[in-house]
C-alpha cells in the first residue's frame, strides 16, 4: 500500500509539473512556429553554450571568461560546507541541480546537452544554453544558505567567542574593502594612479 501511494504521489507531482510548465512551453512553442528562424532550429544552432575553456569560471572569473558562473569564493566555500556531515535535508538535491545546470550551460560542447536536446522540452527550441547557469547560481545560493547555517551552528556549539572572532574579522574585511573602494574613487576623481 505504501508503494502504491508513493507511485500515486509521483504521478500527481508529474501531472502538476507538466500543467505548470505548459503555461510557458505552449506559448514558447507557438512563438517558435511563427519565428523567422524556425527553419534554422537544428542541433548546431540551438547547442551554443559556454566554451570549454570557460569551465573554471566559477573559480576564476577573469581567466578565459566564464564571468556569469562566478558566485564568489566565500559563497562557494559555504556551499561546499553544506555538503559535509551532518547533511542538511535537500542539500544533495541542490548540489545535483547545480551540477546538471553547470553541464547543460556548455550546450553542444558537452554530450549531456545532446540528451537534453532530444528528450527535454524547450532545449531544441532556443539557442544560448548559457542561460542554464542561472539555475547553477540559484542552487549555489541555496547551498550557501545551508552552509552558513551549518557553520553558524558549529560556531554556536563551540562557543560564542569563535562567532565573535569571525564577526570581527568580517567587519574588518568589509571596512578594508570600503576604504579601498573610496580611495579608488577619490584617486579616479583626482586623476591620480592608485
Amino acid at each position: 500500500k505504501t508503494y502504491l501511494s508513493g507511485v500515486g504521489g509521483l504521478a500527481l507531482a508529474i501531472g502538476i509539473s507538466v500543467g505548470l510548465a505548459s503555461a510557458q512551453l505552449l506559448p514558447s512553442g507557438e512563438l517558435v512556429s511563427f519565428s523567422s528562424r524556425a527553419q534554422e532550429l537544428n542541433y548546431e544552432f540551438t547547442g551554443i553554450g559556454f566554451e570549454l575553456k570557460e569551465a573554471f569560471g566559477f573559480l576564476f572569473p577573469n581567466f578565459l571568461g566564464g564571468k556569469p558562473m562566478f558566485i564568489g569564493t566565500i559563497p562557494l566555500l559555504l556551499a561546499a560546507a553544506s555538503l559535509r556531515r551532518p547533511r542538511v535535508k535537500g542539500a544533495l538535491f541542490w548540489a545535483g541541480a547545480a551540477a546538471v545546470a553547470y553541464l547543460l550551460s556548455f550546450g553542444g560542447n558537452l554530450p549531456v546537452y545532446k540528451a537534453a536536446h532530444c528528450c527535454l522540452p524547450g532545449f531544441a527550441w532556443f539557442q544560448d544554453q548559457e542561460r542554464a547557469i542561472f539555475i547553477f547560481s540559484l542552487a549555489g545560493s541555496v547551498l550557501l544558505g545551508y552552509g552558513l547555517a551549518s557553520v553558524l551552528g558549529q560556531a554556536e556549539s563551540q562557543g560564542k567567542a569563535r562567532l565573535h572572532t569571525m564577526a570581527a574579522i568580517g567587519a574588518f574585511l568589509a571596512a578594508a574593502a570600503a576604504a579601498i573602494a573610496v580611495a579608488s574613487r577619490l584617486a579616479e576623481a583626482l586623476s591620480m594612479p592608485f
Side-chain angles (χ1 to χ4, degrees):
K1 188 170 182 160
T2 306
Y3 175 75
L4 289 177
S5 66
V7 171
L10 179 63
L12 179 64
I14 290 173
I16 290 172
S17 299
V18 168
L20 290 172
S22 66
Q24 179 64 41
L25 293 175
L26 293 176
S28 296
E30 187 176 5
L31 172 69
V32 168
S33 69
F34 290 125
S35 172
S36 63
R37 300 186 295 178
Q39 308 305 325
E40 301 172 10
L41 293 177
N42 56 29
Y43 182 78
E44 288 77 27
F45 181 76
T46 61
I48 298 171
F50 287 118
E51 294 181 29
L52 292 178
K53 70 179 184 177
E54 299 176 276
F56 291 105
F58 66 95
L59 291 174
F60 310 109
N62 294 325
F63 182 69
L64 299 174
K67 285 185 182 183
M69 296 177 186
F70 188 66
I71 60 172
T73 305
I74 293 174
L76 199 58
L77 292 172
L78 286 172
S82 73
L83 299 175
R84 291 186 359 207
R85 294 191 197 277
R87 290 207 172 120
V88 179
K89 191 173 187 174
L92 288 179
F93 167 79
W94 288 106
V100 170
Y102 177 76
L103 294 173
L104 286 174
S105 70
F106 288 94
N109 294 320
L110 290 178
V112 153
Y113 175 71
K114 193 165 205 156
H117 182 268
C118 75
C119 300
L120 296 177
F123 280 90
W125 294 346
F126 301 103
Q127 64 179 13
D128 299 328
Q129 299 307 319
E130 297 96 339
R131 69 181 178 274
I133 209 67
F134 167 74
I135 298 169
F136 173 80
S137 298
L138 172 68
S141 299
V142 171
L143 289 171
L144 173 147
Y146 286 153
L148 183 60
S150 173
V151 168
L152 290 178
Q154 287 176 355
E156 187 175 322
S157 69
Q158 293 177 357
K160 294 194 180 207
R162 187 171 180 180
L163 182 61
H164 290 309
T165 303
M166 290 172 50
I169 291 171
F172 174 76
L173 291 175
I180 290 171
V182 168
S184 172
R185 291 285 175 125
L186 282 173
E188 186 178 298
L190 299 173
S191 300
M192 296 172 55
F194 183 69

